[in-house]
PDB file of all heavy atoms in Angstrom:
ATOM      1  N   GLY V 160     -54.150  17.149 -51.386  1.00 98.00           N
ATOM      2  CA  GLY V 160     -52.986  18.020 -51.517  1.00 98.00           C
ATOM      3  C   GLY V 160     -52.647  18.321 -52.959  1.00 98.00           C
ATOM      4  O   GLY V 160     -52.248  19.442 -53.299  1.00 98.00           O
ATOM      5  N   PHE V 161     -52.801  17.326 -53.827  1.00 98.00           N
ATOM      6  CA  PHE V 161     -52.536  17.504 -55.249  1.00 98.00           C
ATOM      7  C   PHE V 161     -53.483  18.539 -55.852  1.00 98.00           C
ATOM      8  O   PHE V 161     -53.062  19.463 -56.559  1.00 98.00           O
ATOM      9  CB  PHE V 161     -52.689  16.165 -55.964  1.00 98.00           C
ATOM     10  CG  PHE V 161     -52.347  16.192 -57.423  1.00 98.00           C
ATOM     11  CD1 PHE V 161     -51.027  16.148 -57.856  1.00 98.00           C
ATOM     12  CD2 PHE V 161     -53.346  16.247 -58.378  1.00 98.00           C
ATOM     13  CE1 PHE V 161     -50.707  16.167 -59.210  1.00 98.00           C
ATOM     14  CE2 PHE V 161     -53.046  16.259 -59.730  1.00 98.00           C
ATOM     15  CZ  PHE V 161     -51.726  16.225 -60.149  1.00 98.00           C
ATOM     16  N   VAL V 162     -54.764  18.412 -55.560  1.00 98.00           N
ATOM     17  CA  VAL V 162     -55.753  19.369 -56.070  1.00 98.00           C
ATOM     18  C   VAL V 162     -55.494  20.761 -55.504  1.00 98.00           C
ATOM     19  O   VAL V 162     -55.589  21.768 -56.216  1.00 98.00           O
ATOM     20  CB  VAL V 162     -57.181  18.887 -55.726  1.00 98.00           C
ATOM     21  CG1 VAL V 162     -58.206  19.970 -56.020  1.00 98.00           C
ATOM     22  CG2 VAL V 162     -57.513  17.617 -56.506  1.00 98.00           C
ATOM     23  N   THR V 163     -55.144  20.823 -54.215  1.00 98.00           N
ATOM     24  CA  THR V 163     -54.883  22.117 -53.571  1.00 98.00           C
ATOM     25  C   THR V 163     -53.726  22.849 -54.234  1.00 98.00           C
ATOM     26  O   THR V 163     -53.764  24.073 -54.389  1.00 98.00           O
ATOM     27  CB  THR V 163     -54.585  21.914 -52.073  1.00 98.00           C
ATOM     28  OG1 THR V 163     -55.705  21.290 -51.445  1.00 98.00           O
ATOM     29  CG2 THR V 163     -54.306  23.246 -51.390  1.00 98.00           C
ATOM     30  N   LEU V 164     -52.704  22.125 -54.642  1.00 98.00           N
ATOM     31  CA  LEU V 164     -51.560  22.732 -55.325  1.00 98.00           C
ATOM     32  C   LEU V 164     -52.032  23.554 -56.525  1.00 98.00           C
ATOM     33  O   LEU V 164     -51.636  24.710 -56.700  1.00 98.00           O
ATOM     34  CB  LEU V 164     -50.584  21.643 -55.770  1.00 98.00           C
ATOM     35  CG  LEU V 164     -49.202  22.050 -56.301  1.00 98.00           C
ATOM     36  CD1 LEU V 164     -48.282  20.822 -56.314  1.00 98.00           C
ATOM     37  CD2 LEU V 164     -49.225  22.668 -57.687  1.00 98.00           C
ATOM     38  N   PHE V 165     -52.901  22.972 -57.337  1.00 98.00           N
ATOM     39  CA  PHE V 165     -53.346  23.646 -58.555  1.00 98.00           C
ATOM     40  C   PHE V 165     -54.312  24.797 -58.257  1.00 98.00           C
ATOM     41  O   PHE V 165     -54.253  25.843 -58.902  1.00 98.00           O
ATOM     42  CB  PHE V 165     -53.982  22.635 -59.507  1.00 98.00           C
ATOM     43  CG  PHE V 165     -53.005  21.632 -60.032  1.00 98.00           C
ATOM     44  CD1 PHE V 165     -53.143  20.292 -59.747  1.00 98.00           C
ATOM     45  CD2 PHE V 165     -51.918  22.032 -60.797  1.00 98.00           C
ATOM     46  CE1 PHE V 165     -52.222  19.364 -60.216  1.00 98.00           C
ATOM     47  CE2 PHE V 165     -51.002  21.120 -61.277  1.00 98.00           C
ATOM     48  CZ  PHE V 165     -51.147  19.779 -60.983  1.00 98.00           C
ATOM     49  N   ILE V 166     -55.177  24.600 -57.276  1.00 98.00           N
ATOM     50  CA  ILE V 166     -56.112  25.667 -56.917  1.00 98.00           C
ATOM     51  C   ILE V 166     -55.344  26.897 -56.428  1.00 98.00           C
ATOM     52  O   ILE V 166     -55.573  28.021 -56.900  1.00 98.00           O
ATOM     53  CB  ILE V 166     -57.109  25.193 -55.836  1.00 98.00           C
ATOM     54  CG1 ILE V 166     -58.055  24.128 -56.404  1.00 98.00           C
ATOM     55  CG2 ILE V 166     -57.915  26.386 -55.296  1.00 98.00           C
ATOM     56  CD1 ILE V 166     -58.937  23.492 -55.348  1.00 98.00           C
ATOM     57  N   LEU V 167     -54.451  26.685 -55.480  1.00 98.00           N
ATOM     58  CA  LEU V 167     -53.718  27.812 -54.909  1.00 98.00           C
ATOM     59  C   LEU V 167     -52.791  28.456 -55.939  1.00 98.00           C
ATOM     60  O   LEU V 167     -52.635  29.688 -55.959  1.00 98.00           O
ATOM     61  CB  LEU V 167     -52.920  27.368 -53.685  1.00 98.00           C
ATOM     62  CG  LEU V 167     -53.747  26.996 -52.441  1.00 98.00           C
ATOM     63  CD1 LEU V 167     -52.836  26.570 -51.295  1.00 98.00           C
ATOM     64  CD2 LEU V 167     -54.644  28.156 -52.004  1.00 98.00           C
ATOM     65  N   TYR V 168     -52.179  27.655 -56.790  1.00 98.00           N
ATOM     66  CA  TYR V 168     -51.299  28.230 -57.809  1.00 98.00           C
ATOM     67  C   TYR V 168     -52.088  29.125 -58.760  1.00 98.00           C
ATOM     68  O   TYR V 168     -51.628  30.220 -59.125  1.00 98.00           O
ATOM     69  CB  TYR V 168     -50.588  27.121 -58.587  1.00 98.00           C
ATOM     70  CG  TYR V 168     -49.523  27.646 -59.529  1.00 98.00           C
ATOM     71  CD1 TYR V 168     -48.215  27.836 -59.094  1.00 98.00           C
ATOM     72  CD2 TYR V 168     -49.835  27.973 -60.844  1.00 98.00           C
ATOM     73  CE1 TYR V 168     -47.238  28.340 -59.947  1.00 98.00           C
ATOM     74  CE2 TYR V 168     -48.867  28.476 -61.705  1.00 98.00           C
ATOM     75  CZ  TYR V 168     -47.573  28.651 -61.257  1.00 98.00           C
ATOM     76  OH  TYR V 168     -46.617  29.157 -62.115  1.00 98.00           O
ATOM     77  N   LEU V 169     -53.271  28.688 -59.163  1.00 98.00           N
ATOM     78  CA  LEU V 169     -54.099  29.504 -60.048  1.00 98.00           C
ATOM     79  C   LEU V 169     -54.543  30.799 -59.366  1.00 98.00           C
ATOM     80  O   LEU V 169     -54.758  31.822 -60.030  1.00 98.00           O
ATOM     81  CB  LEU V 169     -55.328  28.721 -60.505  1.00 98.00           C
ATOM     82  CG  LEU V 169     -55.078  27.710 -61.626  1.00 98.00           C
ATOM     83  CD1 LEU V 169     -56.306  26.822 -61.830  1.00 98.00           C
ATOM     84  CD2 LEU V 169     -54.727  28.426 -62.930  1.00 98.00           C
ATOM     85  N   LEU V 170     -54.648  30.757 -58.040  1.00 98.00           N
ATOM     86  CA  LEU V 170     -55.029  31.957 -57.293  1.00 98.00           C
ATOM     87  C   LEU V 170     -53.817  32.853 -57.028  1.00 98.00           C
ATOM     88  O   LEU V 170     -53.964  33.906 -56.409  1.00 98.00           O
ATOM     89  CB  LEU V 170     -55.705  31.578 -55.980  1.00 98.00           C
ATOM     90  CG  LEU V 170     -57.044  30.839 -56.104  1.00 98.00           C
ATOM     91  CD1 LEU V 170     -57.605  30.509 -54.730  1.00 98.00           C
ATOM     92  CD2 LEU V 170     -58.059  31.663 -56.904  1.00 98.00           C
TER      93      LEU V 170
END
Side-chain angles (χ1 to χ4, degrees):
F161 184 80
V162 170
T163 300
L164 190 165
F165 294 117
I166 292 172
L167 290 180
Y168 188 88
L169 281 170
L170 296 179

